[in-house]
Amino acid sequence: GTQVTVEIHPRDSPPQLFKKLSFGKGPRRLPSLSGQDNKGFQRTEAPRPPGGKDLHAYPWDRSSLKSMAVDLQQFEKLDAYALKVNVRSSVEELVRALLKQAHTDLEKVRAIWMWICHHIEYDVVGYHNKSQLSCRPIDVLQSGKSICEGYAGLFEHMCSLAGIQCMKLFGYSKGYGYKLGQTFSGDSDHAWNAVYLDGRWHLLDSTWGSGSVDDSFTKFTFRYNEFYFLTHPALFINNHFPDNSNWQLLKPALVLKDFENNILHNSNFYTLGLLAAHPGTAIIQTVEGKASVSVDCRPATLFTFKLQGTEQQGLLTLKKQGMRLDVYPQQTGSQRLQIFAKPSRASDDVYQCVLEYVVRCGAVDEAARLPRALHQPVGPSWFSERQGFLRPSHPEPIIRTNDGRCALTFTMGRELSVLASLHCDGDDLPEELGRRHVMQLRRGNQLELKVHLPRAGTFVLKIYAKKKSDPGNYDYVFNYLLSCLHAEAQWPPFPQSYSKWGQDWEVVEPLSGVLPAGRNVRFKLRVQGVAKVLVQAEDSYPLTHSKGYWEGSCNTAGCREVFVMVHENANHSFYSQVLKYQVESQ
């Protein structure tokens, strides 16, 4: 005759005895609130709705990707244990196995999260044929596959068994099939969870944490994504819009129109250390043929882009805390703009897509057509500083010259050897000739590049470097965009230099590599460490050394080429060619 008292009372009211139940003799099993296999699990309190202390400020304060402090290194042993658990007989047995190594509420949630993300695959067949789909937790467990509702339902049930308050949430998402700028209406298209830890609600999405499907939605690939575990609500709202706005956990909450218009930042955006993108809307309208995007980030990050699948028609410049991109579409209408990024010190060359926009171009700026040789990013940056090019005289990516001439200076170590060349569209500037339109001069740690453009137009100045002690090839470092609109600008190449020409030697005159025929031409050179200098035309013309310069003149009559030659050692009679000039046809 054991007497058992069962108290039944309304939620959130003080206990009040309604009924006493007496059970007869013999072993009897009390009915369970969660089914007949829940023996040994603690009773989970009914989830409370979110309140003021659950809310986070919007927009994101850039403090953390998580909504609570989490040390992932402390989870390493637990994560490894959860991945090895192999129980499919019942959800209860699976939870018991996981809780052997999980003790705090956070550890319990983590173990459940890790197991689901690594053992349940997305059911692409069931997604297309809902009649063959079951989202019951036991069916999801035993089949090892489901859609988002099954992931969220299994997670909710496992948390309940583990004594963790958990909610299954429904809403709109910017996942598979999402198109930039689309509107949302009708039924929800996604499910995820909220868990109650340390006195606050937190958000997670085990479906997106487990992996991804291909573009045709026919194949799922396990690809664990840590970002969607306890994601900061101000970041979660970027692609999750709950039916009940209270579950945004934000103050102020977003309206659906904001969610639709806002640019989609995928998880790569934040895991690569990026902070914000401007503009914040998915659709950009060009102004006078140009659209601009900028990204803020903490670490030095490399970027590239594609406009309608090509890297052309854009100017991407790297900043210490991000990048700026100006694109100039060469056709009207809507065009897809993708932005990619990778850590600057990454061992591989794989860029990940972090942003997508739709650029709507109403009118094309024909004058903004960029040379095909232009390489991204453009202009000096922290990356060129790492390669040794410091304090550039021209920090911007575009150099505009009125007369077709310009001079650039950098501070750099003497151990570096530099090569520069000029490029443009068309066949009138082959690579060898392009090098001769740039002359370099070294003065201690100062490098000067003099550039003479062959004509008006748009050109690319590419700069390469290597250590002098390195026998290998030059490595590309960066490039500038040069522009000259003066129709009469037309400069000949500089004289051709040979290997014996010293980097700290200087041509004062003549700078033109093409000399007039049958004329006396004056020479002035700064050449150190040689015994003699002469100019070889039809005759030989020795130059005189005075105040650090070698000076004199020669006559170009009767010759097609003129050479500058140096006598390096007074004890020998051998002269080395260091410069070559062409002579105009008579």
Side-chain angles (χ1 to χ4, degrees), residues 373-387:
L374 190 66
H375 189 78
Q376 308 294 337
V378 184
S381 66
W382 56 263
F383 183 78
S384 56
E385 286 185 1
R386 282 186 183 177
Q387 313 307 311

Side-chain angles (χ1 to χ4, degrees), residues 143-332:
S143 68
K145 61 178 64 176
S146 188
I147 60 171
C148 57
E149 185 176 351
Y151 278 88
L154 177 60
F155 195 96
E156 179 186 45
H157 185 47
M158 291 177 70
C159 283
S160 177
L161 292 173
I164 307 294
Q165 292 187 48
C166 181
M167 289 287 292
K168 179 167 62 173
L169 307 178
F170 294 91
Y172 297 129
S173 70
K174 295 181 180 179
Y176 174 79
Y178 168 72
K179 292 180 174 55
L180 293 178
Q182 80 171 63
T183 57
F184 292 87
S185 61
D187 295 336
S188 304
D189 60 26
H190 193 47
W192 58 92
N193 294 101
V195 291
Y196 194 72
L197 296 169
D198 288 352
R200 295 182 82 176
W201 284 103
H202 304 269
L203 302 170
L204 48 79
D205 187 339
S206 56
T207 309
W208 290 9
S210 64
S212 59
V213 296
D214 60 2
D215 291 339
S216 63
F217 214 82
T218 57
K219 181 182 179 182
F220 171 82
T221 301
F222 277 108
R223 188 178 292 112
Y224 176 69
N225 194 335
E226 173 64 38
F227 179 76
Y228 291 106
F229 178 70
L230 308 183
T231 314
H232 193 292
L235 306 183
F236 204 76
I237 192 62
N238 189 254
N239 44 24
H240 293 74
F241 190 85
D243 292 339
N244 184 338
S245 62
N246 291 334
W247 285 107
Q248 294 181 23
L249 306 184
L250 291 176
K251 184 180 181 180
L254 267 70
V255 297
L256 182 59
K257 194 66 176 177
D258 292 334
F259 176 75
E260 294 171 340
N261 292 339
N262 285 351
I263 182 67
L264 171 61
H265 302 115
N266 60 32
S267 60
N268 292 333
F269 184 92
Y270 296 107
T271 55
L272 285 172
L274 311 186
L275 300 172
H278 313 279
T281 53
I283 298 175
I284 312 175
Q285 187 72 43
T286 60
V287 177
E288 297 181 351
K290 181 178 80 171
S292 299
V293 174
S294 63
V295 174
D296 301 335
C297 63
R298 288 195 185 100
T301 305
L302 293 173
F303 293 87
T304 185
F305 75 94
K306 286 185 178 180
L307 179 65
Q308 287 297 89
T310 176
E311 203 180 46
Q312 298 176 10
Q313 298 311 315
L315 278 175
L316 190 154
T317 55
L318 295 178
K319 308 296 182 183
K320 287 186 177 180
Q321 301 295 328
M323 73 86 173
R324 176 181 172 87
L325 171 65
D326 296 326
V327 293
Y328 304 87
Q330 292 301 295
Q331 61 185 38
T332 57

Side-chain angles (χ1 to χ4, degrees), residues 388-391 409-416 441-448:
F389 290 80
L390 309 177
R391 302 182 184 89
T409 60
F410 305 90
T411 299
M412 62 190 313
R414 297 181 65 89
E415 76 282 357
L416 287 179
L441 171 64
R442 299 292 288 263
R443 297 187 183 95
N445 289 333
Q446 288 291 314
L447 168 69
E448 180 181 3

Side-chain angles (χ1 to χ4, degrees), residues 245-535:
S245 62
N246 291 334
W247 285 107
Q248 294 181 23
L249 306 184
L250 291 176
K251 184 180 181 180
L254 267 70
V255 297
L256 182 59
K257 194 66 176 177
D258 292 334
F259 176 75
E260 294 171 340
N261 292 339
N262 285 351
I263 182 67
L264 171 61
H265 302 115
N266 60 32
S267 60
N268 292 333
F269 184 92
Y270 296 107
T271 55
L272 285 172
L274 311 186
L275 300 172
H278 313 279
T281 53
I283 298 175
I284 312 175
Q285 187 72 43
T286 60
V287 177
E288 297 181 351
K290 181 178 80 171
S292 299
V293 174
S294 63
V295 174
D296 301 335
C297 63
R298 288 195 185 100
T301 305
L302 293 173
F303 293 87
T304 185
F305 75 94
K306 286 185 178 180
L307 179 65
Q308 287 297 89
T310 176
E311 203 180 46
Q312 298 176 10
Q313 298 311 315
L315 278 175
L316 190 154
T317 55
L318 295 178
K319 308 296 182 183
K320 287 186 177 180
Q321 301 295 328
M323 73 86 173
R324 176 181 172 87
L325 171 65
D326 296 326
V327 293
Y328 304 87
Q330 292 301 295
Q331 61 185 38
T332 57
S334 296
Q335 300 172 48
R336 183 186 188 191
L337 173 62
Q338 297 172 287
I339 297 174
F340 305 83
K342 75 166 187 173
S344 61
R345 300 191 184 277
S347 56
D348 55 36
D349 197 38
V350 177
Y351 284 80
Q352 300 183 66
C353 185
V354 294
L355 284 173
E356 287 195 30
Y357 289 93
V358 171
V359 176
R360 290 179 177 169
C361 179
V364 172
D365 182 0
E366 297 286 351
R369 189 180 298 274
L370 302 174
R372 291 188 297 271
L374 190 66
H375 189 78
Q376 308 294 337
V378 184
S381 66
W382 56 263
F383 183 78
S384 56
E385 286 185 1
R386 282 186 183 177
Q387 313 307 311
F389 290 80
L390 309 177
R391 302 182 184 89
S393 59
H394 294 70
E396 296 301 316
I398 303 177
I399 299 176
R400 292 180 171 86
T401 166
N402 292 326
D403 64 356
R405 297 181 296 178
C406 62
L408 300 79
T409 60
F410 305 90
T411 299
M412 62 190 313
R414 297 181 65 89
E415 76 282 357
L416 287 179
S417 180
V418 176
L419 181 68
S421 59
L422 202 63
H423 302 262
C424 67
D425 289 344
D427 302 324
D428 59 337
L429 192 64
E431 186 171 349
E432 181 61 34
L433 185 58
R435 292 198 191 104
R436 290 184 53 199
H437 278 273
V438 185
M439 175 176 281
Q440 62 175 285
L441 171 64
R442 299 292 288 263
R443 297 187 183 95
N445 289 333
Q446 288 291 314
L447 168 69
E448 180 181 3
L449 298 177
K450 293 181 178 179
V451 182
H452 285 184
L453 300 182
R455 54 173 171 78
T458 306
F459 296 83
V460 178
L461 175 64
K462 292 192 174 184
I463 300 175
Y464 305 79
K466 73 180 184 78
K467 289 185 177 181
K468 291 179 180 178
S469 58
D470 185 355
N473 297 326
Y474 284 85
D475 293 324
Y476 169 80
V477 182
F478 67 109
N479 59 188
Y480 281 97
L481 182 67
L482 275 58
S483 175
C484 177
L485 300 180
H486 197 296
E488 296 181 4
Q490 185 175 354
W491 294 96
F494 293 104
Q496 182 178 350
S497 60
Y498 293 100
S499 59
K500 289 288 187 177
W501 178 262
Q503 282 195 339
D504 53 353
W505 295 357
E506 179 183 4
V507 177
V508 179
E509 58 178 337
L511 287 176
S512 171
V514 181
L515 304 179
R519 298 272 298 274
N520 285 326
V521 179
R522 178 169 175 76
F523 279 78
K524 184 176 181 180
L525 310 170
R526 186 166 65 87
V527 178
Q528 302 99 339
V530 299
K532 296 179 182 179
V533 179
L534 66 81
V535 178

Side-chain angles (χ1 to χ4, degrees), residues 91-133:
V91 180
E92 291 76 13
E93 290 302 318
L94 172 59
V95 173
R96 285 193 181 93
L98 292 173
L99 295 192
K100 289 179 181 179
Q101 297 294 325
H103 307 294
T104 67
D105 285 355
L106 177 58
E107 289 175 346
K108 294 174 184 178
V109 170
R110 179 69 180 190
I112 294 169
W113 158 269
M114 289 298 289
W115 193 93
I116 290 178
C117 286
H118 289 84
H119 292 85
I120 306 299
E121 66 176 278
Y122 196 89
D123 189 352
V124 292
V125 175
Y127 174 84
H128 293 292
N129 188 357
K130 299 291 195 301
S131 63
Q132 299 182 8
L133 182 68

Side-chain angles (χ1 to χ4, degrees), residues 534-575:
L534 66 81
V535 178
Q536 180 66 53
E538 185 71 13
D539 298 315
S540 297
Y541 300 87
L543 302 184
T544 303
H545 189 258
S546 174
K547 297 181 181 180
Y549 292 91
W550 294 89
E551 299 182 70
S553 61
C554 83
N555 192 284
T556 59
C559 64
R560 301 181 63 181
E561 296 176 332
V562 172
F563 295 90
V564 175
M565 309 179 72
V566 297
H567 189 189
E568 298 177 82
N569 192 325
N571 298 322
H572 297 88
S573 60
F574 181 75
Y575 279 82

